[in-house]
Amino acid sequence: MPKTESNPITLGTRAPDFVLSDADGAAFSLKDFADSPALLVAFISNRCPFVVLIREALAQFARDHAGQGLAIVAINSNDAEAHPEEALERLGIEAKTYGYDFPYLKDETQGVAKAYGAACTPDFFLYDRERRLAYHGQFDARPGNGKDVTGADLRAAVEAVLIGGAAAAAQVPSIGCNIKWTAGNEPSWFPTAA
């Protein structure tokens, strides 16, 4: 499986708006998280081994920050027609199974992934109170390297942003499976066969 790094995104970039639904039909947009001093937008998957490796730690990460002001929303942008395990109803099963206490939304058109510049799963975008990008990097040390999954890099960034500070300037890109784009819908940054 090819490993894909997250795209370089300029820190300070504003969070694009979205309106997406979860498996129960509840719709969410950026304004639903307006009261939170920090917002984490995580592009994830049900099937990517890189996400599978961290999904329980991500759920615990959310619980650890519950009540501290961090809002989290997860988005699945993978082509569900080609990959049925990524279908909307499967998101609800995944959320319940792994204890996601945050909205897990489906980006059917893949327009939200394009607006954010998401390239891989997992791909983490942490925004400050003004919804400016403060961190776009890895959860922690590279998945599958034999080390415990702790979320140390993202945890440090969140803690800095929650107290009104800045995340570390040196940010290691996330790495994972590429987003499974619908044929003909690939963004300009996605390498296609010649």
Side-chain angles (χ1 to χ4, degrees):
M1 137 200 30
K3 295 178 182 178
T4 301
E5 276 195 358
S6 54
N7 285 326
I9 309 289
T10 304
L11 295 181
T13 299
R14 285 197 179 275
D17 200 3
F18 57 84
V19 178
L20 299 172
S21 296
D22 67 10
D24 295 324
F28 294 86
S29 69
L30 200 58
K31 70 176 190 255
D32 291 314
F33 308 99
D35 293 339
S36 300
L39 172 64
L40 175 64
V41 179
F43 288 84
I44 64 172
S45 164
N46 293 347
R47 64 190 294 273
C48 170
F50 295 93
V51 176
V52 168
L53 187 66
I54 69 162
R55 62 187 171 198
E56 291 170 348
L58 179 61
Q60 184 61 51
F61 180 90
R63 288 189 293 274
D64 291 347
H65 290 89
Q68 296 180 7
L70 175 66
I72 300 176
V73 60
I75 298 173
N76 183 308
S77 298
N78 284 342
D79 176 6
E81 188 172 323
H83 305 279
E85 64 275 24
E86 305 285 19
L88 179 61
E89 60 275 5
R90 296 292 294 270
L91 272 59
I93 295 167
E94 186 85 356
K96 286 179 181 71
T97 301
Y98 295 100
Y100 293 168
D101 294 332
F102 45 82
Y104 188 16
L105 312 177
K106 186 64 185 174
D107 177 20
E108 298 277 0
T109 69
Q110 303 180 320
V112 176
K114 287 181 178 181
Y116 277 77
C120 59
T121 57
D123 205 346
F124 298 103
F125 297 77
L126 175 64
Y127 294 91
D128 63 16
R129 182 176 292 283
E130 285 73 41
R131 296 303 177 253
R132 293 194 175 275
L133 187 64
Y135 180 81
H136 182 230
Q138 65 183 3
F139 191 64
D140 59 15
R142 294 292 187 229
N145 64 4
K147 295 183 180 180
D148 289 339
V149 178
T150 64
D153 290 36
L154 183 57
R155 190 174 302 273
V158 166
E159 289 168 5
V161 170
L162 285 174
I163 62 170
Q171 300 179 7
V172 179
S174 187
I175 193 166
C177 303
N178 65 284
I179 289 178
K180 304 307 181 216
W181 302 102
T182 304
N185 196 35
E186 300 88 351
S188 60
W189 65 79
F190 184 73
T192 55

